[in-house]
Amino acid sequence: MTWPTKKLGERIFNEDAVCHAFYKNYIAKDSETFFKFLHNMSFKTPKGWDYWCAPEVDVIEVKKDKTIIAYELKGARKYKDNSTNKNWPGFYDGLGQALAYLDLPKIVENSKFRPMGGAFDFVYLVHARPEAKFEEYERKIFDLLPIGFIIALPDGKFVKVHEAQPNPLRDEETRRHFLDNLHTLEKHSVSSKIFRKINQKGEAYFSDI
């Protein structure tokens, strides 16, 4: 389903605004959080291995109990570049990306991927929507998948409408490796340039509410 186009002036609840609110209003305060993670390659300090994610993982939350959760975020987009109308994400937007998260991150050694599963315990798809409505046909599809679903509302509130199931592709060795090397994700942490840019854009959106 594609939600109706709606006029919102210049204020678009885009992915950065969703991410800003998600960290501020949903992620546990005692969690470690990382944003827009693609890889941790470093030519200055080579490790002999690297993480690689395709697609890029929007948000990774490592809870105090070491549960690892990955979130794929989808915000509203302008209908056209020269228009103030906007489109909400369609039902399937980001679903393929969220499914790919189940087998991430890949560990690369000697230019080859280790033949193992992913590190994340749970995966969620987060959609910006004008209201906390989850249709029955959507529920039927998600009942077949391990992916959970969270609705992001334009006022910065979040509603979990479908619980994620344990990741069937999780590999315990990959998971331990990831937890032991969180320090290599510092360029994606809350103190990173990446997060500062997200915060700046998110604050601009919410300052007009």
Side-chain angles (χ1 to χ4, degrees), residues 164-179:
Q165 299 302 309
N167 179 3
L169 299 183
R170 193 195 77 174
D171 176 80
E172 187 57 34
E173 186 177 343
T174 303
R175 183 177 181 276
R176 287 198 305 270
H177 190 285
F178 190 74
L179 288 173

Side-chain angles (χ1 to χ4, degrees), residues 47-175:
K47 303 177 292 299
W49 59 268
D50 295 292
Y51 294 134
W52 180 260
C53 293
E56 175 182 273
V57 182
D58 290 332
V59 178
I60 299 171
E61 177 187 13
V62 182
K63 290 184 172 290
K64 190 175 182 180
D65 66 359
K66 303 305 181 184
T67 299
I68 312 171
I69 307 175
Y71 303 92
E72 167 67 18
L73 309 184
K74 289 298 178 185
R77 296 179 293 270
K78 284 188 176 182
Y79 183 62
K80 294 179 180 178
D81 288 341
N82 61 350
S83 172
T84 55
N85 288 336
K86 70 105 195 84
N87 277 344
W88 300 103
F91 167 47
Y92 290 105
D93 283 355
L95 184 55
Q97 291 161 287
L99 286 169
Y101 286 9
L102 298 171
D103 198 33
L104 296 178
K106 306 306 293 183
I107 302 176
V108 185
E109 288 181 317
N110 301 317
S111 301
K112 294 181 180 180
F113 292 135
R114 286 190 186 180
M116 302 187 300
F120 307 135
D121 295 297
F122 301 96
V123 173
Y124 280 87
L125 181 58
V126 182
H127 272 196
R129 289 189 174 181
E131 56 185 324
K133 190 174 182 180
F134 193 58
E135 301 286 355
E136 182 59 29
Y137 72 86
E138 296 176 306
R139 192 175 303 279
K140 287 179 180 178
I141 296 297
F142 274 84
D143 280 344
L144 301 174
L145 304 171
I147 308 298
F149 198 92
I150 297 169
I151 294 174
L153 297 171
D155 62 358
K157 295 178 182 177
F158 294 84
V159 182
K160 185 190 294 184
V161 294
H162 189 81
E163 196 78 34
Q165 299 302 309
N167 179 3
L169 299 183
R170 193 195 77 174
D171 176 80
E172 187 57 34
E173 186 177 343
T174 303
R175 183 177 181 276

